[in-house]
């Protein structure tokens, strides 16, 4: 009996040891399956942006869930693009994931094979629900070729709207909701100028800012009507690369912008979006034109703004040809040369997931998922949601890229500044047209 | 006798050889980091190498890039702005720097404090100085215009007025780098034997005569170094223009380095063309410095 008891005990012990080993193996095996990229490091380069500020404190969740280490570098926008271009063009880019926009960087990256194709990744996980991201925003991140492969996943979007001070308009007895056309608004701005003189500028708008030509597309599209145009050349060049800077819509768009610029506070010519936002948030301007909807997040935050709760929003007012605006987006891309592409995708997928899109929405005021807009409509306020919705309904993607686009946009800034400083519109636009013509000829695009 | 001579020449030769051998490490470093890039750059400047069109598309165009520069109005505009900026800054910095050096040389007490105040801006990087001034000169909310307003003057559009922007850049540059000239000139003054000055005083020379005939001849070589070094630096201006005015409005303050950078890695990625401009610009800088040295020497020979 005793021996059999001893034997039983021994057997039991053996069984227990064996099962615990087996169980342990199964457990670690399962863990490994859940964390297939454990121990890898993903280097992420981010532009200083509300989304970046919101996401950084959440990154540890991703690290804990996947075992992937994330190294983030943040740069100001003024040097961000240079670093991205430089990094992408090197054989070993110093980052795996980076923020990008549908601009020349994407186009260059595509032409030179520096940016990874994400087509095979986006439908890997059902839970990710890629189709929940607005397709017209995704379209901005497709390569300009027949397949239209995806090279970036949108994370925030912005459409260009008009911001105005409800309190000042009320004080002057102007009913902003009744202002329908551009002419109505010009009259209102004159009235504001008469009332507040030098104290509060009637308008503020981007000046000497290398990103200004992107927003200017909205002002031009506001006059464009329903004429056709080529997506990546926008309103300025046709199929044969003929220039269209003498088109009435283009001239009107430039003229509107220059007029608004001349109505700005002292020094407005040198304003980038940063100064514009500061001036409007400090209460120094009554309106802020054709700029990114997401700035509402700053204006409605009492810690950053003196005008919180006093800001009204509207889509661009009508011109004789109707109205229109453009939109823009930020996304995440992966470098083609990255040694940890799959782990990098895990980060991109997490950063653009439903959960994160919703949790960063308050910071960005421009989520890209339909589900997020539905969940956040109350928080964003009725007027803001209505203005963004109206704007997106009349919006076209404002992306211009071709060989020489950067040079053309440089000349566009010169032209707008010159018109705003009182030079003759026709004369400047003739110059602009000739310059653009020379650039496309130099780049060998004409007669391609 | 003969053997002795042989031994001597042998030792000399050995020493010479040893001397050359000591130079090898620095020659290698020079070759890798200076000579090779310069040659590579010079060769690349003969190609149309536009990364937007594709990094692997490199087309030999001979002197095409250089010819293009001659009809590039914006290049010449930037060069004009650079020269105006450099000449104005150099004059202001030299006059101010020399005055400060003379004063610092004269004062007996508190020299350390004044020297620290003058040298402080030198310790700041150009980008920091530029961003700081951009904030202070912000026409709407900057402290400079607020001060003007508080004493009843009209605010000035420091960054957006085409007629003012170059002077704005000169102001920032002079604030930033005047101490540099002060230091060199002060070193010059202090290295001069004091008895010469005392003799002058005893002989009845007034302070202008003492400066003109005793101190200045001694300072000339210091001035030559200070002016040439500063001129090279000033012509290479980049960060201040880039961060304070971004070259605006309408390119009224766009400088050469900025335009070259925009054409290359900073924007258009037209690498061949931007290198060609950079090479032409370097030749220009060397020529200007040679002219400055010449002027100072001629000034010296005439005496």
């Amino acid at each position: 009996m005793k021996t059999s008891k001893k034997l039983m005990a021994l057997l039991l012990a053996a069984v227990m040891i064996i099962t615990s080993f087996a169980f342990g193996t199964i457990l670690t095996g399962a863990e490994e399956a859940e964390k297939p990229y454990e121990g890898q490091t993903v280097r992420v380069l981010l532009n200083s942006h509300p989304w970046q500020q919101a996401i950084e404190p959440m990154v540890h969740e991703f690290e804990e869930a996947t075992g992937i280490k994330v190294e983030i570098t943040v740069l100001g926008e003024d040097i961000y693009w240079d670093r991205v271009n430089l990094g992408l063009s090197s054989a070993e880019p110093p980052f795996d994931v980076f923020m990008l926009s549908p601009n020349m960087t994407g186009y260059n990256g595509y032409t030179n094979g520096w940016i990874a194709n994400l087509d095979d990744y986006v439908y890997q996980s059902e839970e990710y629900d890629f189709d929940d991201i607005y397709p017209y925003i995704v379209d901005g991140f497709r390569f300009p070729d027949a397949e239209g492969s995806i090279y970036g996943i949108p994370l925030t979007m912005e459409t260009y709207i008009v911001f105005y001070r409800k309190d000042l308009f009320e004080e002057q007895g102007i009913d902003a909701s009744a202002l329908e056309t551009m002419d109505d608004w010009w009259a209102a701005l004159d009235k504001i100028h008469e009332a507040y003189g030098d104290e509060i500028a009637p308008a503020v708008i981007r000046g000497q800012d290398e990103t200004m030509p992107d927003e200017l597309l909205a002002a031009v599209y506001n006059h464009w009507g329903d004429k056709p145009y080529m997506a990546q050349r926008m309103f300025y060049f046709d199929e044969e690369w003929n220039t269209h800077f003498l088109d009435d819509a283009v001239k009107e768009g430039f003229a509107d912008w220059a007029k608004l610029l001349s109505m700005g506070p002292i020094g407005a010519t040198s304003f980038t979006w940063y100064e514009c936002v500061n001036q409007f948030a400090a209460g120094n301007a009554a309106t802020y034109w054709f700029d990114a909807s997401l700035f509402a997040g700053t204006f409605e935050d009492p810690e950053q703004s003196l005008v919180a709760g006093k800001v009204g929003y509207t889509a661009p007012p009508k011109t004789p040809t109707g109205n229109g605006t453009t939109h823009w987006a930020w996304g995440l891309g992966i470098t083609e040369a990255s040694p940890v592409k799959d782990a990098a995708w895990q980060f991109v997928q997490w950063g653009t997931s439903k959960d994160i899109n919703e949790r960063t929405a308050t910071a960005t005021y421009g989520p890209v998922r339909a589900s997020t807009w539905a969940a956040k409509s109350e928080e964003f306020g009725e007027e803001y949601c209505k203005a963004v919705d109206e704007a997106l309904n009349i919006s076209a993607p404002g992306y211009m890229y071709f060989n020489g686009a950067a040079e053309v946009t440089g000349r566009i800034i010169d032209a707008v500044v010159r018109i705003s400083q009182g030079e003759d519109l026709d004369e400047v636009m003739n110059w602009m047209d000739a310059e653009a013509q020379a650039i496309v000829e130099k780049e060998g695009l004409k007669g391609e | 006798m003969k053997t002795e001579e042989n031994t001597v020449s042998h030792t000399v030769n050995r020493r010479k050889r040893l001397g050359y051998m000591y130079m090898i490490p620095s020659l290698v470093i020079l070759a890798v980091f200076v000579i090779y890039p310069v040659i590579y750059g010079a060769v690349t400047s003969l190609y149309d190498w536009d990364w937007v069109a594709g990094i692997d598309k490199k087309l030999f165009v001979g002197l095409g890039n250089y010819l293009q520069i001659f009809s590039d109005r914006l290049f010449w505009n930037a060069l004009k702005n650079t020269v105006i900026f450099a000449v104005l800054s150099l004059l202001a910095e030299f006059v101010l720097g020399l005055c400060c050096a003379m004063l610092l040389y004269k004062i007996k007490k508190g020299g350390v404090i004044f020297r620290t105040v003058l040298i402080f801006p030198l310790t700041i990087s150009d980008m920091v100085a530029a961003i700081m001034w951009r904030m202070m000169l912000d026409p709407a909310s900057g402290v400079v215009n607020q001060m003007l307003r508080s004493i009843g003057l009209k605010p000035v559009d420091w960054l957006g007025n085409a007629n003012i922007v170059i002077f704005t850049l000169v102001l920032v540059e002079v604030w930033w780098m005047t101490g540099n000239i002060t230091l060199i000139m002060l070193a010059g003054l202090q290295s001069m034997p004091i008895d010469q000055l005392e003799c002058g005083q005893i002989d009845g020379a007034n302070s202008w005569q003492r400066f003109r005939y005793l101190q200045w001849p001694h300072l000339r070589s210091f001035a030559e170094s200070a002016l040439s070094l500063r001129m090279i630096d000033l012509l290479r201006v980049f960060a201040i223009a880039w961060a304070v005015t971004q070259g605006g409005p309408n390119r009224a303050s766009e400088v050469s380095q900025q335009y070259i950078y925009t054409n290359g890695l900073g924007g258009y990625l037209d690498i061949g063309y931007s290198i060609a401009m950079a090479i032409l610009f370097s030749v220009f800088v060397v020529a200007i410095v040679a002219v400055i040295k010449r002027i100072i020497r001629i000034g010296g020979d005439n005496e």
Side-chain angles (χ1 to χ4, degrees):
Chain A
M1 259 319 259
K2 254 189 179 174
T3 22
S4 69
K5 256 192 183 174
K6 260 189 186 168
L7 202 73
M8 278 287 278
L10 257 171
L11 261 172
L12 207 69
V15 168
M16 274 172 76
I17 289 168
I18 291 165
T19 37
S20 73
F21 266 124
F23 217 69
T25 326
I26 291 166
L27 265 181
T28 34
E31 256 173 37
E32 260 170 27
E34 266 174 34
K35 297 183 174 179
Y37 309 106
E38 184 152 24
Q40 297 193 6
T41 300
V42 174
R43 299 156 303 164
V44 181
L45 183 65
L46 299 178
N47 172 41
S48 171
H49 186 276
W51 183 83
Q52 159 265 322
Q53 284 163 14
I55 196 87
E56 270 196 275
M58 301 177 194
V59 167
H60 71 95
E61 296 172 22
F62 171 77
E63 289 182 320
E64 281 153 24
T66 60
I68 297 172
K69 198 173 173 302
V70 180
E71 278 175 8
I72 295 185
T73 309
V74 182
L75 297 170
E77 190 164 353
D78 44 357
I79 55 167
Y80 180 77
W81 290 112
D82 296 345
R83 288 293 179 83
V84 168
N85 284 328
L86 204 61
L88 284 176
S89 65
S90 74
E92 286 174 16
F95 47 85
D96 305 297
V97 174
F98 62 105
M99 268 170 88
L100 82 170
S101 279
N103 59 7
M104 282 307 288
T105 301
Y107 179 78
N108 290 339
Y110 159 70
T111 329
N112 294 308
W114 297 333
I115 302 182
N117 183 333
L118 303 179
D119 282 350
D120 295 336
Y121 287 112
V122 293
Y123 290 112
Q124 261 180 8
S125 148
E126 229 169 81
E127 198 193 335
Y128 178 55
D129 195 2
F130 180 64
D131 294 332
D132 184 37
I133 303 175
Y134 288 114
Y136 54 79
I137 301 174
V138 174
D139 285 347
F141 292 93
R142 289 181 187 279
F143 287 136
D145 62 6
E147 290 95 52
S149 303
I150 296 165
Y151 65 85
I153 310 294
L155 48 91
T156 86
M157 65 90 195
E158 56 198 54
T159 179
Y160 302 109
I161 60 172
V162 180
F163 305 80
Y164 64 94
R165 286 277 299 282
K166 285 193 285 192
D167 55 331
L168 300 182
F169 276 62
E170 260 167 44
E171 218 170 86
Q172 296 311 314
I174 306 168
D175 178 7
S177 63
L179 303 176
E180 281 199 352
T181 66
M182 219 40 216
D183 286 337
D184 295 342
W185 278 89
W186 291 129
L189 293 183
D190 284 342
K191 202 166 173 187
I192 294 275
H193 180 56
E194 271 166 37
Y196 300 103
D198 286 343
E199 215 142 284
I200 299 174
V204 67
I205 196 165
R206 296 188 197 196
Q208 187 82 34
D209 178 346
E210 59 178 26
T211 62
M212 177 264 264
D214 296 329
E215 283 72 31
L216 177 65
L217 291 171
V220 173
Y221 194 46
N222 202 30
H223 285 277
W224 189 257
D226 42 20
K227 291 181 283 183
Y229 64 89
M230 284 196 70
Q232 285 117 30
R233 301 176 199 177
M234 298 309 286
F235 321 106
Y236 305 138
F237 302 92
D238 61 22
E239 288 87 342
E240 273 89 49
W241 288 104
N242 296 310
T243 47
H244 287 271
F245 286 94
L246 299 176
D247 185 290
D248 282 339
V250 177
K251 277 162 96 174
E252 294 289 338
F254 275 56
D256 280 355
W257 196 282
K259 186 169 172 184
L260 289 162
L261 189 56
S262 67
M263 288 178 161
I266 180 169
T269 326
S270 61
F271 285 3
T272 66
W273 63 263
Y274 180 77
E275 282 84 16
C276 291
V277 168
N278 278 347
Q279 289 297 315
F280 191 75
N284 295 338
T287 57
Y288 181 15
W289 283 80
F290 295 113
D291 222 318
S293 48
L294 58 84
F295 291 137
T298 309
F299 299 144
E300 296 297 351
D301 175 4
E303 281 188 11
Q304 298 183 65
S305 153
L306 296 173
V307 296
K310 297 175 187 168
V311 184
Y313 307 91
T314 176
K318 286 196 173 68
T319 67
T321 53
N323 57 349
T325 186
T326 55
H327 58 262
W328 173 263
W330 278 98
L332 290 177
I334 299 174
T335 53
E336 179 64 32
S338 165
V340 289
K341 257 197 229 166
D342 290 338
W345 167 254
Q346 292 302 313
F347 180 79
V348 173
Q349 182 172 275
W350 172 79
T352 57
S353 65
K354 276 186 182 175
D355 175 46
I356 294 298
N357 198 239
E358 196 172 323
R359 285 163 64 199
T360 53
T362 307
T364 64
Y365 256 66
V368 290
R369 286 178 170 268
S371 59
T372 311
W373 276 98
K376 287 279 171 179
S377 59
E378 205 171 308
E379 186 192 319
F380 286 167
E382 198 189 331
E383 198 183 352
Y384 176 71
C385 288
K386 191 169 152 257
V388 171
D389 186 50
E390 268 179 31
L392 284 174
N393 277 325
I394 53 165
S395 175
Y399 312 133
M400 194 166 84
Y401 37 84
F402 50 85
N403 200 352
E407 260 190 281
V408 173
T409 55
R411 303 295 200 279
I412 288 175
I413 298 172
D414 297 346
V416 170
V417 168
R418 284 171 62 184
I419 302 165
S420 79
Q421 294 188 332
E423 283 192 49
D424 181 60
L425 175 68
D426 288 313
E427 218 169 86
V428 174
M429 294 311 282
N430 277 327
W431 168 85
M432 180 71 231
D433 204 62
E435 289 283 307
Q437 193 71 48
I439 292 167
V440 290
E441 270 166 27
K442 190 184 81 186
E443 297 294 342
L445 296 169
K446 225 165 172 194
E448 222 175 30
Chain B
M1 270 312 272
K2 233 175 184 184
T3 36
E4 212 168 277
E5 249 174 42
N6 269 348
T7 331
V8 170
S9 70
H10 185 70
T11 329
V12 169
N13 276 341
R14 237 187 75 196
R15 276 200 181 164
K16 265 190 186 168
R17 242 180 290 140
L18 210 64
Y20 284 122
M21 265 170 65
Y22 283 134
M23 279 164 69
I24 288 175
S26 51
L27 275 178
V28 169
I29 292 171
L30 204 69
V32 172
F33 292 105
V34 179
I35 300 172
Y36 172 71
V38 166
I39 294 173
Y40 184 78
V43 172
T44 308
S45 76
L46 304 176
Y47 284 83
D48 180 11
W49 194 19
D50 186 353
W51 288 7
V52 181
I55 199 160
D56 47 355
K57 287 182 194 156
K58 217 169 161 185
L59 191 75
F60 185 77
V61 290
L63 293 175
N65 285 328
Y66 291 93
L67 292 175
Q68 191 187 329
I69 296 173
F70 286 98
S71 57
D72 186 345
R73 193 181 50 82
L74 295 178
F75 174 82
W76 297 105
N77 169 64
L79 190 65
K80 183 194 82 188
N81 291 338
T82 311
V83 170
I84 295 175
F85 164 82
V87 170
L88 288 178
S89 303
L90 190 69
L91 286 176
E93 278 177 22
F94 186 72
V95 172
L96 269 173
L98 185 61
C99 290
C100 290
M102 300 290 288
L103 290 174
L104 280 173
Y105 182 65
K106 282 265 167 69
I107 53 175
K108 298 276 181 288
K109 272 184 192 166
V112 180
I113 297 169
F114 288 113
R115 224 175 300 158
T116 314
V117 169
L118 261 169
I119 292 165
F120 165 69
L122 296 179
T123 62
I124 298 177
S125 90
D126 50 359
M127 196 53 90
V128 175
I131 292 171
M132 198 177 84
W133 275 94
R134 175 167 177 109
M135 286 161 83
M136 294 204 297
L137 292 171
D138 184 292
S141 51
V143 67
V144 177
N145 272 358
Q146 272 173 20
M147 276 161 65
L148 289 179
R149 275 197 202 98
S150 69
I151 53 169
L153 290 173
K154 273 200 153 188
V156 177
D157 188 357
W158 298 102
L159 311 173
N161 185 330
N163 300 320
I164 293 178
V165 278
I166 283 279
F167 296 98
T168 306
L169 296 186
V170 171
L171 173 78
V172 178
E173 179 69 37
V174 168
W175 171 85
W176 184 46
M177 273 292 143
T178 296
N180 213 327
I181 290 194
T182 308
L183 281 185
I184 298 175
M185 299 314 277
L186 187 62
L189 286 168
Q190 283 168 344
S191 69
M192 190 181 168
I194 195 95
D195 47 357
Q196 284 187 18
L197 274 181
E198 280 168 353
C199 285
Q201 213 160 1
I202 293 164
D203 287 345
N206 63 27
S207 51
W208 166 249
Q209 286 167 330
R210 285 203 302 276
F211 171 73
R212 178 67 188 82
Y213 297 105
L214 295 173
Q215 285 175 309
W216 179 244
H218 179 75
L219 283 178
R220 193 180 300 111
S221 59
F222 289 86
E224 190 183 311
S225 311
L227 286 171
S228 333
L229 284 174
R230 288 304 302 138
M231 194 62 182
I232 295 173
D233 257 3
L234 286 165
L235 289 171
R236 291 186 314 156
V237 57
F238 173 75
I240 284 184
W242 190 64
V244 176
T245 60
Q246 280 150 0
N250 187 25
R251 300 178 198 263
S253 59
E254 186 169 68
V255 293
S256 292
Q257 291 284 336
Q258 196 184 355
Y259 185 64
I260 292 168
Y261 174 67
T262 310
N263 272 275
L265 281 177
Y268 312 160
L269 299 178
D270 205 342
I271 306 300
Y273 184 54
S274 73
I275 293 181
M277 285 193 287
I279 289 178
L280 197 69
F281 183 67
S282 324
V283 172
F284 174 78
V285 172
V286 170
I288 289 272
V289 172
V291 169
I292 289 185
K293 290 196 156 196
R294 199 65 200 266
I295 291 173
I296 297 171
R297 277 208 199 115
I298 289 171
D301 294 343
N302 285 347
E303 275 163 17

